[in-house]
Amino acid sequence: MAHLRETSDKALKLLRSLPRVQIGNLRPNPNSKQNDKRGRAQHGGDKHGAGNKGSGQRQNFMRLGYETGNQPFYLRFPYEPYYKGHHMRRQYPKISLLQLQVLIDTNRIDIGQPIDLSTLCNSGLLRLKPAEMEYGFQLTDEGLDNFKAKINIEVQHANESVVAAIERNGGVIRTAYYDPRSLHILANPQKWFEKGVPIPQRMLPPQDAVAYYADAKNRGYLANPEEISKERLVLAQKYGYELPKIEDDPNYQMLTEAKDPRQVFLGLEPGWLINLVDKTIIKRKN
């Protein structure tokens, strides 16, 4: 009882200290009333975000970058020289050693044959888009420690650690350039053969790419074979592994097989015509 009396006394004391209930201090409960309109500037949200009149409220779809008379975004900021010609730069989609090992383990790639762009595209999991300035694949070193296959592969870009990982297993790697027309052919060979057009010659790399593909350190296809042999030994000494002798390998012929700089397909010369219906090859007369 004493506890109840103390509680009631506190409540009465609090009530005496509060102001008297008058019309001036009456307020509705919090969040009991909500406004029907959203707080969107002068129109209160009844324009549905399209503005007031004009082309913005009509289905007049303006061109990309047009800002209804304002200075566009791409003109409000200064031009950066770094982006000069960025839409013409060659792109190289990445494929890791881990992905390559998975393709080999799932029998999507036959390591008994040389691997090139056509082999990678025909695996069904990799796609090349020459129309989007993709000039081939770049082999990266992800999964380097788990890569165990002995292969003969041709890619467009590869760093030093990737080259070391492949050569440590007794494999061979080279980097090669393909012009856009050759890339379209390699990305979908069947479509090209169905046209009934002879296989064209592969073009040489442009001036800014000659240095890369002629360098033995990059295993370029235009490099001197003797220089490549020296660089293989230098790389083995740098990374501390014993370089396998390819000459003693039973797959020596497969490992040393390579395309001519003017060749698009391995084993098919430029000028040959492939007939898929009759399954014949029409060769060019010398």
Side-chain angles (χ1 to χ4, degrees):
M1 294 295 291
H3 177 68
L4 293 175
R5 190 179 297 111
E6 291 178 0
T7 305
S8 61
D9 291 343
K10 288 182 179 180
L12 289 172
K13 190 180 293 185
L14 180 64
L15 187 61
R16 292 190 189 100
S17 63
L18 291 174
R20 300 188 65 178
V21 178
Q22 297 176 355
I23 295 178
N25 57 19
L26 288 177
R27 297 286 185 275
N29 292 329
N31 300 325
S32 63
K33 288 189 175 182
Q34 293 185 357
N35 192 3
D36 294 337
K37 291 185 177 182
R38 295 168 294 168
R40 300 287 181 88
Q42 58 180 335
H43 301 294
D46 58 349
K47 300 298 181 183
H48 308 289
N52 187 32
K53 300 182 180 178
S55 61
Q57 279 202 333
R58 295 161 178 81
Q59 287 187 330
N60 176 28
F61 302 110
M62 294 165 283
R63 62 174 174 81
L64 188 64
Y66 181 66
E67 299 184 12
T68 63
N70 299 330
Q71 189 179 25
F73 173 83
Y74 59 88
L75 293 178
R76 284 200 298 267
F77 295 93
Y79 177 74
E80 294 290 343
Y82 173 80
Y83 295 105
K84 183 178 180 180
H86 68 281
H87 60 290
M88 296 297 293
R89 292 180 181 174
R90 294 184 289 272
Q91 305 295 324
Y92 298 94
K94 295 180 180 179
I95 171 176
S96 65
L97 288 173
L98 179 62
Q99 290 177 285
L100 187 61
Q101 185 67 56
V102 171
L103 292 174
I104 294 171
D105 293 342
T106 54
N107 295 325
R108 288 183 177 269
I109 290 180
D110 181 16
I111 61 175
Q113 301 293 332
I115 301 171
D116 63 349
L117 265 177
S118 181
T119 309
L120 295 173
C121 292
N122 288 335
S123 66
L125 297 178
L126 300 173
R127 187 179 178 187
L128 191 67
K129 302 176 183 177
E132 298 182 8
M133 299 299 293
E134 293 183 355
Y135 275 71
F137 293 107
Q138 175 185 359
L139 198 57
T140 62
D141 56 1
E142 182 185 357
L144 180 144
D145 297 330
N146 298 325
F147 189 75
K148 304 299 180 185
K150 181 169 59 177
I151 57 175
N152 178 5
I153 188 169
E154 179 188 82
V155 291
Q156 283 56 61
H157 262 269
N159 56 26
E160 188 180 76
S161 57
V162 171
V163 175
I166 292 177
E167 293 181 351
R168 180 184 57 194
N169 297 335
V172 175
I173 182 173
R174 67 180 54 85
T175 56
Y177 172 83
Y178 288 91
D179 59 281
R181 189 184 187 188
S182 301
L183 289 169
H184 278 284
I185 298 172
L186 289 169
N188 194 347
Q190 182 179 354
K191 184 177 180 181
W192 176 264
F193 293 151
E194 288 174 352
K195 291 180 180 180
V197 182
I199 302 173
Q201 280 190 345
R202 180 173 25 154
M203 304 301 292
L204 292 175
Q207 194 65 32
D208 59 342
V210 170
Y212 181 86
Y213 293 110
D215 192 353
K217 293 182 179 179
N218 302 324
R219 305 300 187 266
Y221 74 120
L222 299 178
N224 188 351
E226 295 181 359
E227 293 294 328
I228 292 179
S229 299
K230 294 178 183 178
E231 291 296 334
R232 282 170 57 90
L233 184 59
V234 170
L235 196 62
Q237 293 173 350
K238 180 178 179 179
Y239 281 84
Y241 61 86
E242 185 177 354
L243 186 65
K245 292 184 178 180
I246 300 179
E247 296 80 5
D248 301 336
D249 197 288
N251 297 324
Y252 173 75
Q253 185 176 357
M254 184 275 295
L255 292 173
T256 55
E257 199 169 4
K259 297 179 184 178
D260 185 80
R262 291 290 191 174
Q263 225 173 350
V264 178
F265 293 101
L266 186 66
L268 298 177
E269 296 295 332
W272 289 7
L273 183 65
I274 311 301
N275 191 332
L276 295 180
V277 178
D278 298 335
K279 297 182 180 180
T280 57
I281 299 177
I282 302 174
K283 298 182 179 181
R284 182 178 59 179
K285 292 183 179 180
N286 295 328

